[in-house]
Amino acid sequence: MSVFDHPEFASHEQVAFCHDEETGLKAIIAVHNTHLGPGLGGCRMWNYANSHEALTDVLRLSKGMTYKAAMAGLEQGGGKAVIIGDPRNHKTADMMAAMGRFVDTFKGKYITAEDSGISVSDILTMGQHTEHVGGTFSKYSFDGSPADGNPAPATAYGVFVGLQAAVRHRFGSDLSGKTVAIKGVGHVGLRLAEHLYKAGARLFVADIFPEGLDRAVNEYGATAVSVDEIDALDVDVFAPCALGNAINADNISNINAKVIAGAANNQLASDEMGKILAQKGILYAPDYVINAGGIIDIFHQRTESNAENLKAHLERIGETLSRIFDQAAETGQATAQVADEMAESRFQKS
Ligand code: NAD
């Protein structure tokens, strides 16, 4: 199958396959749409089963970034990169340097940053070979805590604000006493757990690695469950914070939560899933709206702004979601469809 015929190609502007023999780097950089500005989006490193899986992931992710930037009111487009390999065992500084050189060939049309498997120090290494990186420094901290450029704290705060808005819409109440199941307690999921704990929610957590789980249990009173159990727990909110396809044909009929609101990109395996959730009365917070905190943070760090503006921008995620929920309730459309139409009206050329 040619890349142009790929079901997720979605009119991408540019897709580059990057190979560096010396370091073993195999990566794909995809720029979906730059009508509003350069394609900003993180770089993910993951042990993909094959290059086809990596291509599907990067195409879906970069398209999502276009929609995310549009809904966050940013003059940015959508792009994303994936590196094929296990970040725990295959990553080297030379490989990150080679990645930086490939990012530089885009001459600013693609700006990279952290995503799953890629840390601030990896982006700093890339940044020695290209100026087109974000998420490496923080001029402004939205909550006053010391910040190193990692966008995860801002993402987690945005998800928290959005989750609160979803709970208010669905239950007419705050988070106190609500039960939330978090799938994936990594950089974002663990910070989300902290916000939710402080707001009085009761937590259930699952992960494939123990580090985040132990902290969630010990510090935030969470109950650890297996990854096979977490999707179907009888809770108020399901928060997917691992990788994509959290809601798919295999698990959708087992989901008992009333609200789905989490950090993961591409939570719905297909548009159909959004419609089924709406029919089941499950309120879905569109992923690229609720998890926009990271690019909002990077945008502010790269421009002249201040901590108050950054925090206010992050908190508008809740207002945007409330508008989507209200419009979906009025029209009977799925929330994902409402969000898509709002985003497209902003970034598509008339
Ligand atoms: P991360 O790699 O730090 O955390 C992901 C966690 O999910 C890890 O702890 C991993 O072990 C776990 N995980 C992986 N597969 C799992 C499975 N099948 N079941 C349970 N747990 C599993 O990544 P992150 O930065 O926290 O990002 C999490 C998600 O949020 C990703 O989808 C990412 O694209 C998205 N996101 C992140 C940011 C950000 O600022 N970091 C911004 C927007 C969106």
Side-chain angles (χ1 to χ4, degrees):
M1 189 209 310
S2 98
V3 176
F4 292 109
D5 300 327
H6 193 290
E8 303 292 345
F9 184 68
S11 303
H12 268 73
E13 288 179 16
Q14 200 172 347
V15 181
F17 294 83
C18 313
H19 179 217
D20 182 65
E21 205 162 1
E22 211 166 290
T23 61
L25 172 74
K26 282 188 184 151
I28 311 173
I29 300 175
V31 175
H32 176 249
N33 186 294
T34 56
H35 291 175
L36 291 176
L40 170 63
C43 175
R44 174 177 290 184
M45 184 163 184
W46 186 251
N47 210 3
Y48 294 100
N50 51 55
S51 53
H52 183 79
E53 197 181 286
L55 177 63
T56 302
D57 206 28
V58 77
L59 292 175
R60 293 191 70 201
L61 288 165
S62 67
K63 178 182 169 195
M65 292 309 292
T66 303
Y67 284 72
K68 190 184 300 199
M71 287 305 281
L74 300 173
E75 301 300 313
Q76 296 279 349
K80 201 88 183 181
V82 297
I83 297 175
I84 301 169
D86 179 351
R88 292 178 178 236
N89 296 312
H90 299 151
K91 193 165 47 176
T92 62
D94 287 346
M95 186 186 273
M96 296 301 106
M99 187 65 192
R101 288 192 289 274
F102 279 120
V103 170
D104 202 53
T105 63
F106 279 75
K107 299 185 187 322
K109 192 174 177 184
Y110 169 62
I111 302 165
T112 200
E114 297 83 357
D115 195 80
S116 193
I118 294 292
S119 65
V120 175
S121 75
D122 298 328
I123 297 295
L124 283 168
T125 307
M126 291 182 204
Q128 290 168 7
H129 304 272
T130 178
E131 61 182 288
H132 306 298
V133 295
T136 53
F137 63 91
S138 288
K139 287 188 288 183
Y140 320 110
S141 167
F142 71 91
D143 62 358
S145 62
D148 62 359
N150 182 354
T155 303
Y157 184 62
V159 173
F160 171 65
V161 168
L163 195 151
Q164 271 179 319
V167 164
R168 256 195 314 274
H169 184 91
R170 184 64 175 73
F171 300 104
S173 61
D174 66 16
L175 276 163
S176 179
K178 292 283 180 297
T179 48
V180 183
I182 306 177
K183 182 176 192 172
V185 272
H187 287 102
V188 181
L190 190 62
R191 289 177 168 94
L192 174 65
E194 182 181 1
H195 288 297
L196 292 169
Y197 168 73
K198 287 180 177 163
R202 285 198 295 125
L203 305 178
F204 296 85
V205 290
D207 202 297
I208 51 173
F209 291 110
E211 299 94 330
L213 281 182
D214 292 347
R215 285 195 54 193
V217 169
N218 295 329
E219 295 174 32
Y220 311 129
T223 303
V225 301
S226 77
V227 289
D228 299 328
E229 287 173 274
I230 191 96
D231 301 9
L233 284 187
D234 192 1
V235 287
D236 296 312
V237 184
F238 176 40
C241 296
L243 299 191
N245 295 338
I247 314 298
N248 53 59
D250 293 334
N251 72 357
I252 194 158
S253 56
N254 299 328
I255 291 184
N256 288 304
K258 311 289 182 298
V259 170
I260 297 177
N265 283 306
N266 297 331
Q267 290 173 31
L268 305 181
S270 66
D271 293 346
E272 187 59 20
M273 296 299 126
K275 292 182 187 144
I276 298 173
L277 290 177
Q279 282 157 13
K280 284 168 64 106
I282 299 174
L283 184 68
Y284 169 65
D287 44 17
Y288 57 76
V289 181
I290 194 169
N291 72 12
I295 54 161
I296 292 172
D297 183 61
I298 290 172
F299 179 82
H300 281 262
Q301 305 302 345
R302 289 169 60 89
T303 51
E304 279 308 311
S305 183
N306 58 52
E308 291 70 38
N309 282 346
L310 168 58
K311 188 159 192 255
H313 200 159
L314 293 173
E315 289 177 351
R316 285 204 291 281
I317 289 175
E319 293 158 30
T320 306
L321 281 170
S322 295
R323 274 209 313 282
I324 292 168
F325 298 151
D326 288 344
Q327 191 169 319
E330 276 163 29
T331 61
Q333 287 175 294
T335 52
Q337 196 184 345
V338 171
D340 282 358
E341 289 173 9
M342 281 184 183
E344 284 160 9
S345 72
R346 178 148 196 263
F347 76 77
Q348 279 176 352
K349 275 187 179 157
S350 48

